[in-house]
Amino acid sequence: MESLTSRMQAVQSPIIPVVGELIKNSPGTISLGQGVVYYNPPPEAIEFLPKFLAEPTNNLYKSVEGIPPLLTALAEKLQTFNGIEINGENCIVVTAGSNMGFMNAILAITNPGDEIILNTPYYFNHEMAIAIAGCRAVLVATDENYQLRPDAIAQAITPKTRAVVTISPNNPTGVVCSETALHQVNQICGNRSIYHISDEAYEYFTYNGVKHVSPGAFENSSEYTISLFSLSKAYGFASWRIGYMVIPKHLFVSVKQVQDTILICPPVISQYAALGALQAKAEYLESNIGAIAQVRQLVLDSLNRLQGLCSITPANGAFYFFLKVNTQMDAFELVKRLIQEHKVAVIPGTTFGMNNGCYLRVAYGALQKETAKDGIERLVQGLETIVRS
């Protein structure tokens, strides 16, 4: 059969499996690559599973947008933590992870050829989703500290623009966007009649007293703000595939059409687990994220030894640092050598749209103190050896 062409040829290949294969071929490698946490879901999540099993009809399809008890619990969380009130202007849709929420949103608001503004460095799955939908990602560079540039975003808007995407706390940089900049971007979107897609998967991961801000809580923003959330990170729920989106009510039918086609309904057993997870005491998040904060400081102290060799931007969120390495070496080639010669894995910045220079994303959420110390030492020594040789 002849090789067929399809839209997927224009979509970049996911980098995580590629790096995973390199790790597999280099046993003993410590991964500072994939963005996951070291801890498991709270016991309350598992305790809710018998409730799922006790009801035979749970083996049937359920509502496309999610089971009512979970929707109620999420509405309470959004009001309490995010300051987002669920009212007649907006609604919640539970998804199989927030990546699905993003794909739902793009398909619901665009036609092929439309434009979506991404701030660079971008999250690679966002860029991939835009390409899959037959749309074009318009890239706007952030400033030297990876903060948003509202004026540049406004200048990038054309008649084909359908949305601006922000991610705070940010993947891949770890930067928390300022409330002022988020508010400016949100107002620009409202004034220009386009959507503001706010990815908040790392909402709980902030440090040094920095607070998370949800654009969906801004006054009069419900009509054009799409907010994406996830249990994957904060609740150790990566494989359970539960996220949710808050969308303007006028998008509800379109989003349901997309989700019903791709998924029908989010896995009901996972929705029960999510309902349980939301019952966890505050100490669950505080203690686990507190432990990650300690690892973060350890990682930062080690990376600071690379001053002159790397530029390290201050980052008070998520569990990433984004390094600019002062070398002409290709980022992926550097990643390969770090794995093969020093048994430590990171992700190349080219995956995040950073092609002008050598950038690396360092993820530390999956590590505990002992492993983190070993892993970051390997990275520091590896960079010193490879770049200075």
Side-chain angles (χ1 to χ4, degrees):
M1 187 176 178
E2 281 187 32
S3 175
L4 297 176
T5 59
S6 84
R7 72 183 67 209
M8 298 310 296
Q9 289 182 304
V11 180
Q12 68 162 302
S13 297
I15 193 64
I16 300 295
V18 176
V19 173
E21 192 63 26
L22 289 170
I23 293 171
K24 183 180 169 185
N25 294 330
S26 188
T29 296
I30 294 176
S31 178
L32 303 173
Q34 195 160 21
V36 292
V37 294
Y38 73 90
Y39 55 90
N40 292 319
E44 290 88 345
I46 310 306
E47 289 164 6
F48 262 64
L49 298 185
K51 296 178 186 291
F52 166 83
L53 296 169
E55 177 50 67
T57 63
N58 280 335
N59 294 313
L60 304 175
Y61 296 127
K62 296 297 178 182
S63 297
V64 174
E65 66 270 27
I67 58 175
L70 181 55
L71 294 172
T72 299
L74 291 172
E76 291 173 3
K77 175 265 175 188
L78 287 162
Q79 177 78 66
T80 304
F81 185 78
N82 305 94
I84 298 175
E85 181 187 358
I86 301 303
N87 50 40
E89 295 180 351
N90 59 11
C91 57
I92 303 168
V93 175
V94 180
T95 59
S98 62
N99 272 4
M100 182 171 197
F102 187 82
M103 190 82 241
N104 285 352
I106 295 300
L107 291 173
I109 67 174
T110 64
N111 290 308
D114 284 344
E115 297 173 351
I116 304 292
I117 293 177
L118 297 183
N119 296 281
T120 56
Y122 54 62
Y123 171 47
F124 55 86
N125 281 134
H126 286 173
E127 191 269 344
M128 292 165 69
I130 291 164
I132 288 170
C135 296
R136 188 170 82 89
V138 173
L139 307 183
V140 175
T142 48
D143 70 14
E144 64 277 7
N145 291 316
Y146 302 123
Q147 287 287 344
L148 299 169
R149 296 164 59 229
D151 289 347
I153 290 169
Q155 289 172 12
I157 296 171
T158 75
K160 289 189 173 182
T161 305
R162 293 295 168 263
V164 176
V165 180
T166 60
I167 310 170
S168 183
N170 189 263
N171 176 10
T173 66
V175 165
V176 180
C177 298
S178 74
E179 180 172 359
T180 299
L182 285 172
H183 200 272
Q184 287 175 329
V185 171
N186 193 259
Q187 284 189 317
I188 289 166
C189 292
N191 293 340
R192 302 289 284 272
S193 297
I194 61 177
Y195 293 97
H196 180 182
I197 302 177
S198 172
D199 187 328
E200 303 175 40
Y202 299 89
E203 57 184 329
Y204 291 105
F205 295 88
T206 58
Y207 315 102
N208 298 324
V210 173
K211 299 294 184 187
H212 173 66
V213 175
S214 293
F218 296 151
E219 191 175 0
N220 301 321
S221 70
S222 295
E223 251 188 61
Y224 56 88
T225 305
I226 298 170
S227 306
L228 307 178
F229 303 94
S230 174
L231 272 71
S232 294
K233 313 301 179 182
Y235 288 95
F237 245 61
S239 73
W240 291 86
R241 308 313 305 137
I242 291 292
Y244 53 103
M245 54 196 308
V246 179
I247 58 174
K249 197 64 180 267
H250 65 258
L251 290 178
F252 187 51
V253 172
S254 296
V255 167
K256 279 179 65 175
Q257 285 175 305
V258 176
Q259 181 143 302
D260 185 62
T261 302
I262 297 172
L263 183 70
I264 299 183
C265 66
V268 179
I269 190 169
S270 295
Q271 292 190 68
Y272 270 79
L275 187 55
L278 293 172
Q279 317 300 314
K281 293 181 173 62
E283 289 77 16
Y284 169 79
L285 291 176
E286 289 167 5
S287 62
N288 285 314
I289 294 174
I292 287 179
Q294 292 178 20
V295 169
R296 173 187 174 277
Q297 192 57 52
L298 186 155
V299 169
L300 187 56
D301 290 344
S302 294
L303 290 177
N304 280 332
R305 288 162 39 201
L306 294 171
Q307 296 289 350
L309 196 67
C310 296
S311 300
I312 303 154
T313 298
N316 286 310
F319 35 75
Y320 305 111
F321 288 112
F322 201 65
L323 310 184
K324 182 178 183 183
V325 187
N326 299 324
T327 178
Q328 297 300 311
M329 188 180 300
D330 173 75
F332 185 66
E333 185 59 31
L334 179 55
V335 167
K336 282 201 292 187
R337 288 191 61 183
L338 284 167
I339 294 171
Q340 292 164 354
E341 298 170 21
H342 296 273
K343 295 195 180 298
V344 61
V346 290
I347 302 296
T350 44
T351 287
F352 306 99
M354 300 298 278
N355 298 304
N356 186 22
C358 183
Y359 295 84
L360 303 175
R361 188 190 76 174
V362 179
Y364 54 86
L367 304 179
Q368 293 179 293
K369 268 189 175 178
E370 301 72 22
T371 323
K373 189 170 184 181
D374 194 5
I376 205 67
E377 281 301 312
R378 292 185 193 185
L379 178 63
V380 169
Q381 290 174 17
L383 287 172
E384 288 177 334
T385 302
I386 295 169
V387 177
R388 290 203 168 121
S389 63

